[in-house]
Amino acid sequence: MTDETRERMTLSVNGTMMWYYYICHRQVWLTAHHITPDSDDPNIQLGRHISEQAYSRERKEISLGHVKLDIIRRAAGGGVVVAEVKKSSRYLRSARMQLLLYLEELEKRGVPAVGELRIPEERRRQTVRLEEAERQELDRAKRDILRIVYLSKPPEPVKIPWCRGCAYREFCWA
């Protein structure tokens, strides 16, 4: 077995990769290759602030293997509720898929869970459940994320509306 084959077997798709996958494939590659975005970027700072300030009474940042859960609490009827906090609903599909990945990880460990997307600035909550159609989409996305990660170089940059506020923009447009 080659080192590359061994590495492929151990690499797991994390929530950040899933989030970026539905926005920009180049970001998936950069993140997977440990190229970090500009930490002084105002959007990153705002996201950190919201994460630290919103829902301050609930447990936060729980590590579960290769994923980090924003909030986890017991559900009234048993199991748990996992919440993902976002600054806006602009990229709701990305956030939903990220949360579905977390639900799948909990399910693999025998923990029944329901997801909840929370957007405190909009006072919005959305319940997310892992159903068969979502499982199929997750599987397809994870396979494609791994394909992107194992490219020898990042995908070419593509100008999209997200670029304007992207902390990786210097890697694409400098």
Side-chain angles (χ1 to χ4, degrees):
M1 182 183 303
T2 66
D3 288 340
E4 183 179 340
T5 303
R6 203 172 289 111
E7 184 181 343
R8 283 181 191 217
M9 291 173 61
T10 60
L11 179 69
S12 297
V13 174
N14 64 33
T16 303
M17 293 165 131
M18 186 63 71
W19 163 262
Y20 284 150
Y21 177 73
Y22 286 90
I23 297 170
C24 174
H25 291 183
R26 186 173 173 91
Q27 285 184 323
V28 170
W29 191 93
L30 292 168
T31 298
H33 289 266
H34 307 288
I35 299 171
T36 57
D38 176 10
S39 61
D40 292 330
D41 184 85
N43 289 312
I44 288 180
Q45 290 179 353
L46 177 59
R48 276 193 200 118
H49 176 74
I50 289 171
S51 181
E52 291 167 4
Q53 300 302 314
Y55 313 108
S56 59
R57 293 183 194 182
E58 296 184 76
R59 282 182 72 183
K60 294 186 183 184
E61 281 266 325
I62 308 298
S63 291
L64 179 67
H66 59 279
V67 298
K68 287 188 179 180
L69 310 174
D70 286 352
I71 297 171
I72 188 167
R73 65 175 168 79
R74 289 184 198 265
V80 297
V81 175
V82 175
E84 179 65 21
V85 180
K86 296 297 183 188
K87 67 178 181 174
S88 84
S89 58
R90 187 169 178 198
Y91 296 98
L92 206 51
R93 184 172 185 212
S94 290
R96 188 171 186 283
M97 294 306 294
Q98 181 181 6
L99 184 53
L100 286 166
L101 177 72
Y102 299 160
L103 295 176
E104 183 181 65
E105 288 298 319
L106 286 165
E107 183 181 78
K108 286 178 186 175
R109 290 166 170 79
V111 178
V114 172
E116 190 173 84
L117 282 174
R118 295 183 183 182
I119 300 119
E121 299 292 306
E122 299 173 12
R123 293 191 172 132
R124 183 174 176 179
R125 289 183 185 210
Q126 181 182 66
T127 300
V128 176
R129 293 187 184 343
L130 183 59
E131 305 290 343
E132 187 55 35
E134 287 79 9
R135 289 176 211 285
Q136 290 175 11
E137 174 66 10
L138 270 174
D139 184 55
R140 187 196 62 72
K142 287 191 292 188
R143 282 185 276 120
D144 200 37
I145 288 168
L146 292 174
R147 178 194 62 78
I148 293 165
V149 168
Y150 289 112
L151 293 172
S152 59
K153 60 182 184 174
E156 291 297 316
V158 176
K159 198 72 144 169
I160 58 175
W162 171 262
C163 295
R164 204 172 335 109
C166 177
Y168 279 111
R169 67 185 162 273
E170 299 299 322
F171 287 99
C172 300
W173 312 113

